Amino acid sequence: MIYGNKIRLRAIERDDLDAFVRWFNDPEIRRYLFMYRPLSKAAEERWFGELSRRDPDEIPMAIETLDGVLIGNTAFNDIDWRNRSAEFGIVIGEKEYWNRGYGTDATLTMLRHGFGTLNMHRIFLQTLEYNHRAIRCYEKCGFRHEGTLRKAIYRDGEYHDLLMMSILRDEWDATWGGEKGDAQA
């Protein structure tokens, strides 16, 4: 497991799939994701069955509280080993854990893992312009806006901008490299 201050990251288990299906079928949660269709349990079972064929460093991890409550998942995708770059993704699916610092701690823990363990140079993400809670979290963790894909996502009957954000290794080291950002290993 990988420990943060409020969360730990662990391997996803088959027992987690019911929670994932519940989260991804909740329109309020799905509104902030790039998913737009409801998700079946069969589709999630197929996804779980295919995880072993992925790059081990791209297999999503479950986010749970230190007392063992599953609250979300996170992953690095599209890792470019030559250029030391990866795309970051996260969802906190248990809404009672929103706005309580769990997403920030999970993001910082993943960044520490990405820069410290995987030796990434650049970690980037995409988020919808109206996902203000996530944008605040990403900015607090050191991500910087690097661009906007104008009206790139169609959601709820209108087009929305897609924001591109990233953090570089030297920015991470300058802000979080010391005691301040060290989550427990």
Side-chain angles (χ1 to χ4, degrees):
M1 290 194 203
I2 302 171
Y3 286 88
N5 295 317
K6 298 178 83 161
I7 59 91
R8 64 181 164 230
L9 304 175
R10 63 162 173 82
I12 290 175
E13 303 293 345
R14 188 175 301 279
D15 291 345
D16 299 330
L17 300 185
D18 287 336
F20 294 174
V21 169
R22 180 172 43 84
W23 300 338
F24 298 146
N25 283 318
D26 180 331
E28 185 179 9
I29 293 169
R30 201 171 53 242
R31 181 172 192 271
Y32 297 106
L33 304 175
F34 296 113
M35 306 173 69
Y36 61 92
R37 299 173 61 178
L39 180 70
S40 71
K41 176 78 182 268
E44 197 67 349
E45 288 279 350
R46 275 192 306 279
W47 170 83
F48 182 78
E50 294 168 0
L51 285 180
S52 64
R53 288 180 253 177
R54 294 175 91 173
D55 177 332
D57 294 313
E58 291 187 359
I59 294 176
M61 290 182 275
I63 303 168
E64 64 181 20
T65 64
L66 294 177
D67 57 351
V69 177
L70 176 67
I71 62 169
N73 67 48
T74 185
F76 289 123
N77 296 300
D78 300 320
I79 295 177
D80 178 343
W81 291 108
R82 182 173 182 266
N83 294 302
R84 313 305 298 174
S85 178
E87 183 173 13
F88 171 70
I90 185 172
V91 61
I92 301 295
E94 294 299 335
K95 292 187 272 189
E96 61 268 23
Y97 290 87
W98 288 3
N99 298 313
R100 294 179 51 196
Y102 290 93
T104 298
D105 190 43
T107 300
L108 289 171
T109 302
M110 280 294 282
L111 290 173
R112 181 177 46 83
H113 175 64
F115 291 122
T117 304
L118 302 180
N119 193 28
M120 289 292 117
H121 169 70
R122 177 178 178 272
I123 296 174
F124 66 97
L125 61 84
Q126 302 176 60
T127 191
L128 293 157
E129 66 180 335
Y130 56 77
N131 195 349
H132 303 293
R133 181 179 48 255
I135 293 166
R136 278 191 312 274
C137 168
Y138 301 144
E139 290 172 339
K140 188 182 332 180
C141 293
F143 282 90
R144 295 184 185 181
H145 293 263
E146 61 179 28
T148 300
L149 300 178
R150 298 177 313 135
K151 306 299 180 200
I153 300 293
Y154 187 74
R155 181 69 48 90
D156 300 326
E158 59 186 301
Y159 288 95
H160 299 277
D161 290 350
L162 183 62
L163 306 181
M164 308 298 293
M165 301 177 76
S166 70
I167 182 170
L168 303 177
R169 173 64 174 267
D170 61 345
E171 296 164 345
W172 168 260
D173 288 344
T175 305
W176 299 102
E179 259 180 62
K180 183 177 178 185
D182 268 348
Q184 301 165 0

